[in-house]
Amino acid sequence: MDVHIQFVTTPTADTPGTTLMLTTAKQNYLFGNESEGTQRALTQNGMRLMKVQDFFVTGRTEWSNVGGTVGLILTLADATATAYQSALEYWRSKSTKNLPEPVPPKLNIHGPPNLKHLFATCRRFIFRKGMPVTITEYKETMVERTDEGAIPPTWKDQNIRVWALAVKPPRKDNEAWLEDALAAKQERYDKVLNSFEDEQAPVSESQEDRDSRFDRIRSQVLDHMFNSSWKFDTLVEKHISEVEMPAAIYIRHPETKELQSYAGPFPRGEEPLPDIRVLVRTPWPGALVQALPPTKPAVEAISYIVNTFPSRGKFDAKRAQELGIQPGPIFRLLTQGKSVKNASGETITSDMVMGPEKPAQGVAILDVPSLEYLEPLLQREEILSGTVMDDIRLCIWILGPGIAGHPTLQTFMQKLDKVEHVISSADTCPNRLALDSVAAQTVRLGQIDPDRYQLPFHDNSTLPQNSLYGRASCNRLAVSSATRAERGLKFRLKPIFELAKDAGPPPLLNVSEVEKSTSLDIIKLAQSAQRDVENDAEVLKSWRERIQRPDTEIITLGTGSALPSKYRNVSATLIKVPGIGNYLLDCGENTLGQLQRVFKPDELVEVLRNLRMIWVSHLHADHHLGTASVIKAWYAVVHDSIPVYAPPSMSSISTEVSTYGLSVVSHEGMLRWLFEYSSLEDFGYSRIVPLDITSNQDGSEPGSTLSLCPLPNRGKADQDMLRREDYETVLGVSDIQACYVSHCRGAMAVSLTFPDSSADEMSEIKTKPLKVSYSGDCRPSIHFTRIGQDSTVLVHEATFDDELKSDAKAKKHSTTSEALGIGAKMKAKAVVLTHFSQRYQKIPVLETVENDAEGEEDGLLDPGAAEDVNDGPAMEDDVDPRTEELDVGVDKAFPHNHAVQPDMPSEQVIKVRAKDMKVAVAFDYMRVKVGDIAQLEKFNMALGRLLAEKDEDDRAGERNGNGKRVSDGEGRKGKKGKRNN
């Protein structure tokens, strides 16, 4: 049996952790840090996830180690559930009596303490059915031995054996008060917040029993999230006063008996309730859990020793014949370890004809997050045990900063001189590009529009690496005895140990080769566009002069939907307003990595230092899973990772901005998630200002209000509200308005208005203050056009092309025309289109017209296209959480059969009746100043041709990052992996 282990990622800006894929004939396993960016790296490398059902997380339970696990599990759950249903339907439809029924899928996650709690905090935005997820946490315990003195594995299956090594650093003297504080929180939880009837606290209970009970509660929450029996189409009748919000409420029309949404008033509202019975679709059970059992950060760091099983020796056919066994089926029985009889009736046992047993061979994956973990790890009995380590041929060291060259580690490596040592660390791995496809695409985009697209920042040689992660290191010691980890590095463990020759690190990005691969047609279209910009300089200047703060920069960090692809990351847009600060609109997975590719490390430090606000539009994972990482990076830069122990006070917040400084504005569900997660890790929650915003549904004054997000046991109070006179000091804006939109529960759009700067810009043209509006995900909303009226820039999702309008309606998204129609109704000066489906995306062909014979009101929005939420947040059933995004498994932004071909007469032309409204189509890493957006539509023909040619390449065979076409074998292998990813 062949067994390999390969590096999926090493520490870079794109992939902050080290991830390893262990492959066997029947099953694959993922080991290491499952950080943000891991899923995208797997797609980039063409590695299959479908054969993975066991994840082994190393290190501590921190977002930097496990932040990518949530997205991985969601993707794998969707893909495996679909595959299982297909296999089951096939099995039922055929005469398959001789075939076993397909086994339902399941996922197993192994790792440090608090993993269950981490996943349980995600219960408000994760829901899957029929996908049991079992989480096994390993704590530091006494090593058990068999009667023979051997140390048994912690876990095993038919392919591998695993020893989990949980290591704690030496205990600190100041930890006693943390234990006391936790005990008080746990006692209060049982008295006030524990809603699990079967898990209430008994009269007398030891701490060990309480921990076990709390663990069962967390396991129940996980079961609600992944294996619930809740049905989406079940309605329950009850009196309106008995309804527990949030819930979707319906009534039947008294005459037609048709089901209608109930329009209010709602329970817990200010208006009196009518005396009626209603039908209720309750949220999935996990979302109803108001609080989790309190916990504290777990200090255990997990490493693993992984070993295969010994293999039978080679079958000796000559010896078998000498013993009277004739060739045939009996040979197979002997190779399977069974005994047979020869023609003389003598019993021949397997060991009589089999050669010597081949020994097991394995790998140690040792994670040392900081120096204080090194000595305790090296003193583990498993490490010192000959019975566990004798068969280990490879040691992979996942090291924190400053450890790679430490004398203690060097001495230990020298003792294990017959073992291959590989080090993965920011000290030893340069900040190379890990996502070749998007880097090459950005090079080509830079050929078309060099002012907006630059080569992603990277450094192929500097050590310690030139990145945010490398800034923490002071290591300068040489590591001569170890191999440096690289993406793609692969070792064969069985049948013999060796460096695999069929894989290795991919070639570095060769910019000149990529540029040569760009067709002459694209270059000519780009040159024509650049000439058009020069020729229209006066007109473009005039447009720019009608805008306040024209040097405000829009940076589209992630422009894809649903899940990361090779070419587009998920949602995030940075707004840089000179003299005021920076604003992040949504923060999908690995937004921090995208920031590190756009800005050099010193520049990024200043970007983080001036970050004023993070806006999260809704609780779908592709819009917020990067928030904790960005806050933690800001926390390190601005506050040296030092917490405060008093929450912000709205009465004095204007004088305490330096104590806090970063506001996170969203709805209550998002803010509660941050609060709950803060019990696992000090990522900076104590330094942020978490503000819950209300909806301004009718566009009236004063509109939306901002309040500190309340704790689970306390409602809002007047003293929690941020005063409008403090907006500019705290947020940097003069106004912020939000409204609910039709997408999922709590989804909101937002408009930010900045202080009037007309007096400072010495312009004779009367201009309005800079106003940036952002849609998040939604169907077109008239309410949004009201709060966004006279926007300078509208950043709007355009998930689907116009011909896929039915898909947009079904999945609660917008088409290109609908997004532009909202911009026209807003009287926006510019629209930036983003959040494109990873499957269906092309450059729109726009035609500006004064009027149209059809006489439509705006020409873009169909009558009745707007779907507004009138009386409160959309209920859970506005989007089925199981099917809201069906782009799962897609790994390319350039789809078949949907590429733009500008010379084709059948191409749909979108007529825009707002003649002064300029439109930009966003790609990842785009940097454009607001005053220059008018230039971008000049480049649409070249961009369209680029997409069309990329689509042709995809059909004919893929190219690598340097633009060279890969072999047929490589292309087939890559596509097979992506199809199942």
Side-chain angles (χ1 to χ4, degrees), residues 9 60 308 324 329 361 411 479 535 541 605 634 645 665 790 816 928 965:
T9 68
R60 298 175 296 213
T308 57
Q361 297 190 120
T411 301
V479 187
N535 295 336
K541 179 182 177 182
V605 167
W634 165 85
Y645 297 100
V665 184
D790 295 319
T816 301
V928 60
R965 200 179 301 280

Side-chain angles (χ1 to χ4, degrees), residues 668 672 692 707-720:
E668 192 173 338
R672 287 195 188 282
D692 180 16
S707 302
L708 275 180
C709 184
L711 298 176
N713 63 311
R714 180 171 67 85
K716 294 180 183 178
D718 291 342
Q719 64 266 26
D720 294 330

